[in-house]
Amino acid sequence: MVRAGLTAERLAQAGAELADQVGFEKVTVSALARRFGVKDASLYSHLKNSQDLKTRIALLALAELADRVAAALAGRAGKDALVAFANAYRDYAREHPGRYEAARLRLDPETAAASAGGRHARMTRAILRGYDLTEPDQTHAVRLLGSVFHGYVSLEMAGGFSHSAPDSAESWSRVLDALDALLRNWPAP
């Protein structure tokens, strides 16, 4: 018998909340079943397995992050858009560490193509239109921004910047200034 109120979407949302509390790697069907006070088997009418649960959490996180970034970008261009995108990304990661980790889950090509990952790439490319970059430089810049944002946020969340002055927020601002300057003066091949 299916427990009333349980759906794959509700389980993904609860799994995302659990990921933020205990870490994405600790989210399992068993942990989620305990959260709902049901046996593991009760969840298998909604989920195939733990990998299905993790994939659903990743898709939810990618969509949430894309929605947040899109709202931050509305009406902005150039450096304002770059800073808004970066801050939305960083804020989401800090507020939802488990979901942020889930958004990094490697998805199969078909699932990835149907995910909000494409929205992320399109929004990044939209920012870069303000810097007049063409291909292949635009792709290089997309990779650069993703690497810098993810690298900085990951190091910051791991406490890597908490041992010395200045504050990491000041460094973040300087990093964004440097990225803006680099994008305005992108080197010729």
Side-chain angles (χ1 to χ4, degrees), residues 41-61:
S42 299
L43 303 187
Y44 287 114
S45 60
H46 306 288
L47 302 168
K48 295 176 193 168
N49 50 39
S50 281
Q51 186 60 39
D52 181 35
L53 172 61
K54 288 188 178 238
T55 298
R56 289 174 184 275
I57 295 168
L59 294 173
L60 178 136

Side-chain angles (χ1 to χ4, degrees), residues 54-184:
K54 288 188 178 238
T55 298
R56 289 174 184 275
I57 295 168
L59 294 173
L60 178 136
L62 285 167
E64 286 179 345
L65 182 54
D67 290 345
R68 183 176 289 200
V69 169
L73 285 176
R76 298 180 190 274
K79 183 179 180 186
D80 287 342
L82 174 69
V83 170
F85 183 107
N87 285 337
Y89 185 95
R90 181 175 178 237
D91 291 346
Y92 183 83
R94 291 167 68 164
E95 292 167 25
H96 300 291
R99 294 174 209 214
Y100 177 73
E101 186 181 345
R104 311 273 60 86
L105 181 70
R106 185 178 187 134
L107 301 171
D108 68 74
E110 186 177 313
T111 302
S115 78
R119 286 179 59 203
H120 291 271
R122 287 188 299 276
M123 287 186 285
T124 305
R125 288 181 183 280
I127 290 168
L128 294 174
R129 281 195 291 273
Y131 292 98
D132 295 323
L133 295 179
T134 58
E135 286 301 340
D137 290 331
Q138 195 176 84
T139 296
H140 297 314
V142 166
R143 292 172 180 166
L144 171 71
L145 293 178
S147 298
V148 170
F149 297 161
H150 175 66
Y152 194 96
V153 166
S154 296
L155 288 168
E156 184 179 42
M157 289 173 53
F161 303 138
S162 62
H163 307 297
S164 63
D167 182 72
S168 66
E170 184 179 338
S171 295
W172 178 250
S173 179
R174 298 288 301 271
V175 165
L176 297 179
D177 288 344
L179 285 173
D180 175 62
L182 174 63
L183 292 170
R184 289 185 190 286

